[in-house]
Amino acid sequence: MAESPLLQVRGLKKHFPVGQGVLRRGREKVHAVDGVDFDLEEGRTLSLVGETGCGKSTTGRLVLRLLEPTEGEIRYRGRDLLALSSGEMRELRREMQIIFQDPFSSLNPRLSIRQTVGEPLVLHRQGSKKERDDRVVHLLEKVGLKPEDRYRYPHEFSGGQRQRVGIARALALNPRLIVADEPVSSLDVSIQAQVTNLLLDLQEELGLSYLFISHDLGLVEHISDDVAVMYLGRIVEKAPAEALFSRPRHPYTEALLESIPVRDPSQRRRSYRPLPGDVPSPIHPPRGCPFHPRCPIVEDVCRQTFPSPFEHGPGHVAHCHVRGRES
């Protein structure tokens, strides 16, 4: 019998109420995440990609129960996370950590690096004071910082160094799952490569599983085992990274890949055509396929029903009526 995935998400939704006051409350809602399904296997990286506002970061926070879902199911190692008490969830958080996008605002400026990295150990009552200090030194060395750096404060570090501190903090409790929410987007390009390679080295050494959230498709291609493309709160295509980048099957995925800058424009798969219009409002998402108002191959059926997943290869599914008929 095959092992179940480390993380299973089914029908995940998060709707935020719009407006203030008793009379307006609940009338309109932002459909931030609107029915998301995916699996993350042990030791692999699943990347969530899409335009800003598509629901990637919200999905990551829902998985960790930093936000409570409106609807859906989240299973970690077979356990239903939404059925756990606050105490049970607290214990499980040792195995589930997050790396935030902004390495400056995610660190308390009043705490030394020693306190910042050691805080999870204190909260979970791990080891003696000396053992915690030794653990902090070990973690700083693992992410490429010096033992003496533990006495410094966040403002004394560069952006890349601060993100290394954030990674060390995430590793403090020996997690199995890390949600990396745009972990390098605020860093200089040269530093991005260093931090990305650090994440890959740590994954290989520690057997980590990443839910990697990014809009940088070049980075996603480099770091991912599998990719899920989100649009307006829904996943429209999922595939192994190599298959998705070599043979995308959803028109939105194609548009994203065509927008990747290249040194030689003649090397593009085809001429780049920007998508028409703007992303529809998540308060009033379109009926049917959410991409149909901007889709170059739209048909009447696309305006009526959300397409079922069509399989285009092992692990490669896309929600598109037109491409489904071609498969």
Side-chain angles (χ1 to χ4, degrees):
M1 184 175 178
E3 281 190 36
S4 61
L6 179 72
L7 179 68
Q8 294 175 294
V9 173
R10 297 290 182 270
L12 190 62
K13 295 184 180 182
K14 182 61 179 179
H15 299 166
F16 295 98
V18 177
Q20 298 179 351
V22 175
L23 295 179
R24 294 193 60 189
R25 190 173 299 155
R27 288 191 177 184
E28 293 186 329
K29 299 177 180 178
V30 174
H31 296 70
V33 177
D34 208 22
V36 164
D37 302 334
F38 63 81
D39 293 340
L40 173 57
E41 304 288 342
E42 185 97 41
R44 293 176 68 86
T45 298
L46 169 67
S47 290
L48 296 180
V49 303
E51 293 171 281
T52 299
C54 71
K56 307 184 300 294
S57 293
T58 302
T59 299
R61 282 162 170 73
L62 290 171
V63 164
L64 299 178
R65 281 190 64 185
L66 300 179
L67 293 172
E68 290 298 322
T70 302
E71 187 180 315
E73 180 181 346
I74 306 169
R75 289 190 174 275
Y76 173 78
R77 294 201 298 159
R79 299 180 68 182
D80 182 359
L81 295 190
L82 302 184
L84 299 182
S85 67
S86 58
E88 291 171 326
M89 193 65 208
R90 177 187 174 91
E91 287 298 311
L92 199 58
R93 288 195 193 283
R94 298 181 185 184
E95 300 185 24
M96 308 167 68
Q97 295 293 316
I98 186 168
I99 300 170
F100 293 99
Q101 177 177 357
D102 186 346
F104 189 76
S105 63
S106 65
L107 302 179
N108 189 331
R110 297 185 177 184
L111 296 184
S112 68
I113 302 308
R114 176 188 181 186
Q115 293 170 302
T116 295
V117 177
E119 187 174 30
L121 301 171
V122 174
L123 291 175
H124 288 270
R125 300 176 182 176
Q126 299 290 296
S128 65
K129 185 175 180 180
K130 183 181 185 307
E131 288 171 335
R132 291 195 294 268
D133 197 46
D134 290 343
R135 176 68 174 161
V136 169
V137 170
H138 172 72
L139 290 167
L140 292 180
E141 290 179 329
K142 187 172 287 296
V143 299
L145 297 174
K146 299 175 182 178
E148 55 267 30
D149 288 335
R150 67 189 187 278
Y151 300 114
R152 300 167 66 188
Y153 287 81
H155 72 272
E156 301 180 71
F157 291 89
S158 66
Q161 289 174 321
R162 285 194 291 265
Q163 194 60 294
R164 289 174 186 268
V165 172
I167 294 171
R169 178 177 59 185
L171 294 175
L173 296 169
N174 293 313
R176 299 176 67 171
L177 169 66
I178 290 182
V179 175
D181 186 7
E182 303 267 12
V184 299
S185 64
S186 63
L187 307 179
D188 292 339
V189 174
S190 60
I191 306 301
Q192 287 182 8
Q194 295 177 18
V195 175
T196 300
N197 288 333
L198 171 63
L199 290 172
L200 288 170
D201 291 341
L202 290 170
Q203 182 177 43
E204 182 176 357
E205 179 183 350
L206 303 175
L208 299 170
S209 303
Y210 291 142
L211 181 61
F212 193 85
I213 298 165
S214 181
H215 62 270
D216 184 339
L217 292 172
L219 172 61
V220 165
E221 185 176 16
H222 176 62
I223 200 171
S224 306
D225 295 300
D226 305 285
V227 181
V229 181
M230 291 190 69
Y231 185 81
L232 209 64
R234 290 179 177 263
I235 289 178
V236 296
E237 184 166 7
K238 289 181 294 186
E242 184 178 355
L244 185 129
F245 281 91
S246 63
R247 192 169 180 264
R249 300 304 297 151
H250 195 281
Y252 178 61
T253 308
E254 292 180 343
L256 287 180
L257 297 184
E258 288 168 9
S259 69
I260 299 176
V262 295
R263 290 184 179 179
D264 183 357
S266 66
Q267 298 301 311
R268 288 190 183 276
R269 293 186 298 114
R270 60 185 185 183
S271 59
Y272 173 53
R273 294 173 297 173
L275 289 173
D278 298 318
V279 179
S281 168
I283 300 176
H284 302 291
R287 183 181 177 186
C289 175
F291 186 59
H292 85 252
R294 307 173 72 193
C295 183
I297 59 172
V298 62
E299 296 183 356
D300 287 341
V301 66
C302 307
R303 301 182 177 93
Q304 303 302 319
T305 60
F306 183 75
S308 300
F310 292 94
E311 188 168 353
H312 299 276
H316 189 167
V317 296
H319 294 261
C320 178
H321 290 293
V322 178
R323 293 290 164 73
R325 292 198 304 268
E326 298 172 0
S327 62

